[in-house]
Amino acid sequence: MVKKFVLVSGGVISSIGKGIIASSTGLLLKTMGLKVTSIKIDPYLNIDAGTMSPLDHGEVFILEDGGEVDLDLGNYERYLDVTLSRANNITTGKIYRDVIERERKGDYLGKTVQVVPHITDAIQDWVERVATIPVDNSGEEPDVCIIELGGTVGDIESAPFVEAMRQLQFRVGHENFALIHVSLVPTIGTVGEQKTKPTQASIRDLRGLGLTPDLIAARCEKTGLEEGIRSKLAMFCHVQPEQVLAVRDCNSVYHVPELLKEQGLIDYLWKRLNIEQTVSISPALKEKGDAMWQKWNQLTSSQERLRDSDAVTIALVGKYTHLQDSYCSYVKALEHASLACHKKLTIKWIEGSDLEPENLIANPTKYNNAWQDLRAAQGIIVPGGFGARGTEGKIAAAQWARENKVPYLGICLGLQLAVVEFARNVCGMTGANSIELDANTETPVVVYMPEISKTHLGGTMRLGLRPTEFQANTENCAIRKLYGGEATVLERHRHRYEVNPDLVGQFEAKGLSFIGKDETGQRMEIVEIADHPYFVGVQYHPEMLTRPLKPSPPFMGLIKAAAGELEKHLASL
């Protein structure tokens, strides 16, 4: 089967938007009836993103098979509505580990193992193998593989991957390989003049490494590219003017696919990759793609029509709020639910430590502003996280939500801290805590899961897609109704700690209901307070399965409750 590869590289600066360009390109090709998969190349030495701080590298995204990967794979899954595996994320650590293991086995027959050809061959073999793995419900091999090369052209650590991609274009053939280079066209000075030199230099470096862009995605400000800039870029970067795409700043990233389509991205790739003659597209997939594009247009147009009177404000109380990419999937889940509810979303970012009493003395302005934002919010979400910093502030947020009937959604750590708060303030367990936060607590409300390693952190948590079973007599619970009344739901997990099962009876006697448990009935998965507009905690990460056209049920519940529309919504289900 003929396989098409589209490589997306970046220049000038990091975090330039390669992931959105890659996802948007994949989406556009899928709307044409093609089956699309994606690969993210991360040049760092880590095996995966599991042990990285969100402040260092953004959110750790969790895949169905338990892979802990770069947040861009979340974008791929959301845009393409596919299910990827840990193999779709290539790192330097994975490649070198595999090559070294083969060398130890003697697979190289005594040869000197080198970056070229052994590392570069391993990269190409990996890409070609993963490109054949089905990622959607069709069970068929993908037609197109989008490859995002992380980092910036010229980085030392990405050199083996650039060389591997140079070789790949000849291995698969010219008409099966295309390159999109994302670069920056900055606006300099008070006169607002756009400069092309950074992009020229970036593409000169790229061509010097043996790769020539087929399309240049020129990132620029909202006004787009000035007259003459497109022609100038084309002349100095060895492309035609129509191969330069002006990717201006948009009000929403969901408009980027439309922006690329308007400038002929699909038409160009269709001809450049000779798709018409080499790929067979079934009428059913073409019809499905047309319907997908129609729904996407409806999504973006409805977003533009939202008014301030449709606003809903959600307070996100976290630990890593200084880098909002740390909560990328939470933001997407809130956005998707808000769009489905026809609400204009406003997120108030609150650092958990700012809510703690000690901060009233250390920084009264931050303390007062944080509490003002929390009290003004129509809904509160406490996301997952690790470590003690800010947890007392998150517990205070859960208490405020419970006592003042403010809609609350606690995820992973957010569930655990809601249970800690309930234990302290409702059950009278004044010293209650999680052993993650206080190893010597006399009342361990949250405990270490017995099967989890205490010596190795990487890849040792309870990870991946796992079932949660609703308990008997929970048919009228809000969260179960939001899931369509299903008896079992499948969601992705990432945690080391769990609610202490020995104390569950005491909590339930006081009104905290554990309505969802794992298949053994011993591990608490979903908690709900019945006498509350919406107080829900989940041990899993529902934000990982949100889609623009299919929002996550717990997030839908939060937005509906915050807007005062939950009861009406549940009655309609």
Side-chain angles (χ1 to χ4, degrees), residues 254-327:
Y254 304 118
H255 291 283
V256 175
E258 296 173 336
L259 187 66
L260 296 177
K261 185 175 183 178
E262 289 169 2
Q263 297 180 74
L265 180 138
I266 290 180
D267 295 337
Y268 179 83
L269 289 179
W270 214 258
K271 294 176 183 176
R272 169 67 180 77
L273 297 173
N274 195 21
I275 291 174
E276 194 74 43
Q277 304 300 321
T278 58
V279 180
S280 176
I281 301 174
S282 71
L285 284 177
K286 183 66 175 72
E287 185 178 342
K288 187 177 179 180
D290 290 338
M292 184 181 186
W293 184 241
Q294 185 178 4
K295 289 179 181 177
W296 193 273
N297 283 327
Q298 291 171 354
L299 175 82
T300 55
S301 60
S302 65
Q303 186 181 29
E304 289 295 317
R305 291 195 297 267
L306 293 176
R307 299 165 296 180
D308 291 339
S309 59
D310 300 319
V312 62
T313 302
I314 302 296
L316 190 151
V317 185
K319 178 182 179 181
Y320 317 108
T321 58
H322 303 304
L323 180 65
Q324 295 178 9
D325 265 357
S326 301
Y327 300 107

Side-chain angles (χ1 to χ4, degrees), residues 44-81:
Y44 47 68
L45 281 169
N46 304 62
I47 296 297
D48 58 33
T51 57
M52 291 185 182
S53 165
L55 293 175
D56 186 62
H57 198 68
E59 172 188 82
V60 177
F61 189 78
I62 310 304
L63 298 172
E64 187 171 297
D65 65 356
E68 299 171 282
V69 297
D70 184 85
L71 60 85
D72 279 317
L73 275 83
N75 283 327
Y76 304 156
E77 286 202 342
R78 287 187 285 267
Y79 273 68
L80 303 179
D81 194 19

Side-chain angles (χ1 to χ4, degrees), residues 20-256:
I20 297 299
I21 298 296
S23 301
S24 299
T25 301
L27 170 68
L28 290 172
L29 291 172
K30 190 164 184 177
T31 63
M32 299 301 291
L34 294 168
K35 299 181 289 293
V36 183
T37 187
S38 291
I39 294 174
K40 173 67 188 295
I41 294 174
D42 285 306
Y44 47 68
L45 281 169
N46 304 62
I47 296 297
D48 58 33
T51 57
M52 291 185 182
S53 165
L55 293 175
D56 186 62
H57 198 68
E59 172 188 82
V60 177
F61 189 78
I62 310 304
L63 298 172
E64 187 171 297
D65 65 356
E68 299 171 282
V69 297
D70 184 85
L71 60 85
D72 279 317
L73 275 83
N75 283 327
Y76 304 156
E77 286 202 342
R78 287 187 285 267
Y79 273 68
L80 303 179
D81 194 19
V82 295
T83 301
L84 303 177
S85 71
R86 67 184 73 209
N88 291 81
N89 190 200
I90 305 175
T91 68
T92 298
K94 287 180 180 179
I95 295 294
Y96 274 78
R97 179 188 62 185
D98 288 1
V99 170
I100 290 170
E101 285 178 355
R102 290 186 62 191
E103 187 274 332
R104 292 289 84 188
K105 292 177 183 176
D107 289 354
Y108 296 112
L109 302 176
K111 295 179 181 178
T112 302
V113 180
Q114 297 176 294
V115 173
V116 180
H118 301 101
I119 294 296
T120 52
D121 282 351
I123 294 167
Q124 293 174 79
D125 293 343
W126 190 307
V127 167
E128 290 195 292
R129 174 175 57 84
V130 174
T132 65
I133 299 174
V135 292
D136 57 24
N137 294 331
S138 72
E140 299 176 1
E141 286 189 16
D143 304 308
V144 181
C145 179
I146 310 292
I147 308 167
E148 181 190 345
L149 178 58
T152 306
V153 169
D155 291 346
I156 293 173
E157 58 264 31
S158 65
F161 294 101
V162 174
E163 172 59 20
M165 294 300 101
R166 184 194 70 80
Q167 295 177 24
L168 182 67
Q169 66 184 328
F170 299 109
R171 183 190 281 203
V172 302
H174 179 71
E175 72 171 16
N176 297 320
F177 183 94
L179 170 59
I180 302 173
H181 187 67
V182 187
S183 189
L184 179 68
V185 178
T187 301
I188 304 297
T190 55
V191 294
E193 183 181 3
Q194 289 184 332
K195 294 295 184 181
T196 64
K197 276 292 189 292
T199 297
Q200 291 181 44
S202 176
I203 291 178
R204 183 170 62 245
D205 290 344
L206 190 62
R207 293 181 65 201
L209 296 169
L211 289 168
T212 299
D214 295 289
L215 289 168
I216 300 171
R219 290 293 315 279
C220 53
E221 294 185 351
K222 283 191 175 184
T223 53
L225 290 179
E226 296 172 2
E227 186 178 351
I229 294 296
R230 189 189 301 266
S231 299
K232 187 175 182 180
L233 281 171
M235 178 172 61
F236 286 105
C237 297
H238 203 62
V239 295
Q240 294 292 331
E242 57 267 23
Q243 292 170 258
V244 179
L245 309 177
V247 187
R248 57 179 173 78
D249 293 339
C250 300
N251 293 330
S252 166
V253 293
Y254 304 118
H255 291 283
V256 175

Side-chain angles (χ1 to χ4, degrees), residues 418-479:
V419 174
V420 170
E421 186 279 321
F422 193 88
R424 291 179 183 177
N425 300 309
V426 179
C427 299
M429 303 175 183
T430 53
N433 213 332
S434 165
I435 63 167
E436 177 188 8
L437 313 177
D438 180 5
N440 300 314
T441 179
E442 295 180 359
T443 311
V445 171
V446 178
V447 297
Y448 219 101
M449 289 187 289
E451 72 271 27
I452 302 299
S453 170
K454 295 184 179 182
T455 57
H456 290 71
L457 299 181
T460 59
M461 287 186 276
R462 183 170 180 252
L463 296 164
L465 195 73
R466 296 173 183 269
T468 294
E469 297 180 357
F470 284 103
Q471 302 303 290
N473 304 315
T474 60
E475 291 80 7
N476 292 323
C477 293
I479 188 66

